[in-house]
Amino acid sequence: MSHFSVVPTSDFAAAPTMEFAGVRLEQMSLEHCADLAEVVERDRLDEAWFASTPSAEGMEANIRARLKNQQAGTVAPFAIIDLSTGQAVGATTYLNIDATNRRVEIGSTFLGLPAQGTGINPAAKYLLLRRAFEELGCFSVAFCTHWHNEASRAAILRLGAKQDGVLRNHKYDPKTGTLRDTVIYSILPHEWPAVRTQLEARLRRHGRI
């Protein structure tokens, strides 16, 4: 039987600065609040009923909650910075950290509309996946989304993730009074080289590398 060294939870919950293809991921902080609130308010990102994007008014509380969960070792929150402007254009997070089983989920992600389709999101995913597999030694990286979020489901499949299943009536949303079916996807270590290659190809098409 093979034995693997345990990576400390503190390593998984860290949010180190990473740069690639004109994008920087950095530790989320309250300093990002103004930029992120502006992005959400301008593009009305919080109005999608199937997503859980914080409102502009709730951005500070959302950031504080992410930081509190980071202290508990369950998440690692990042701000997404467009290096061409130096501004935060979105956010993303390692969720449901399970250091013992070397598993993380990538989620709680939102991105301003002008940044969508520019290669910023693939660059951010590249950085998160590279760290997960090449630095943290993850056995699995998960992605979860609402059944009705067709754009998110298509984007996850474009990454090369495979669908694991659907958790029916998984979550109750008090805002809409609806129950969410959650679709779960994952990428495994042996799949990462192919995922990395296709992400690099996408970034070349966007002229980012």
Side-chain angles (χ1 to χ4, degrees):
M1 179 180 293
S2 298
H3 296 278
F4 300 93
S5 60
V6 176
V7 180
T9 300
S10 58
D11 289 358
F12 278 77
T17 298
M18 302 181 284
E19 291 187 6
F20 183 67
V23 173
R24 181 170 71 243
L25 297 186
E26 63 186 31
Q27 169 70 53
M28 180 182 282
S29 74
L30 290 175
E31 293 180 1
H32 299 112
C33 187
D35 280 354
L36 296 178
E38 180 182 352
V39 165
V40 170
E41 184 172 35
R42 181 196 65 212
D43 299 334
R44 300 181 177 180
L45 298 179
D46 59 322
E47 294 183 1
W49 69 272
F50 46 72
S52 56
T53 304
S55 66
E57 296 78 10
M59 187 62 66
E60 180 177 342
N62 181 269
I63 292 174
R64 289 187 184 277
R66 294 193 198 210
L67 296 177
K68 181 179 180 180
N69 290 334
Q70 184 180 24
Q71 288 294 317
T74 60
V75 309
F78 296 86
I80 304 172
I81 310 298
D82 181 353
L83 290 180
S84 69
T85 64
Q87 292 183 307
V89 295
T92 191
T93 304
Y94 283 149
L95 301 166
N96 298 317
I97 290 172
D98 182 352
T100 301
N101 293 302
R102 294 193 184 182
R103 180 179 174 86
V104 298
E105 175 188 334
I106 294 175
S108 288
T109 302
F110 62 88
L111 192 65
L113 293 182
Q116 295 179 22
T118 66
I120 287 178
N121 186 51
K125 292 298 190 292
Y126 181 97
L127 289 167
L128 292 171
L129 289 166
R130 185 178 67 183
R131 171 166 169 76
F133 289 119
E134 298 182 15
E135 297 179 23
L136 298 176
C138 283
F139 298 146
S140 176
V141 176
F143 300 84
C144 298
T145 192
H146 198 297
W147 173 267
H148 289 288
N149 194 342
E150 295 180 1
S152 177
R153 291 172 62 185
I156 293 169
L157 288 172
R158 280 198 302 273
L159 281 174
K162 294 181 173 59
Q163 184 174 318
D164 294 329
V166 181
L167 296 177
R168 302 180 67 194
N169 283 358
H170 181 222
K171 292 182 179 180
Y172 175 71
D173 182 358
K175 183 172 68 175
T176 62
T178 60
L179 287 162
R180 159 176 159 159
D181 289 351
T182 298
V183 191
I184 303 175
Y185 303 83
S186 66
I187 298 174
L188 304 183
H190 71 276
E191 297 165 339
W192 166 233
V195 171
R196 181 181 58 210
T197 297
Q198 68 89 11
L199 279 172
E200 290 170 349
R202 287 172 64 183
L203 291 167
R204 278 193 292 270
R205 289 198 297 271
H206 283 290
R208 288 191 165 269
I209 58 175

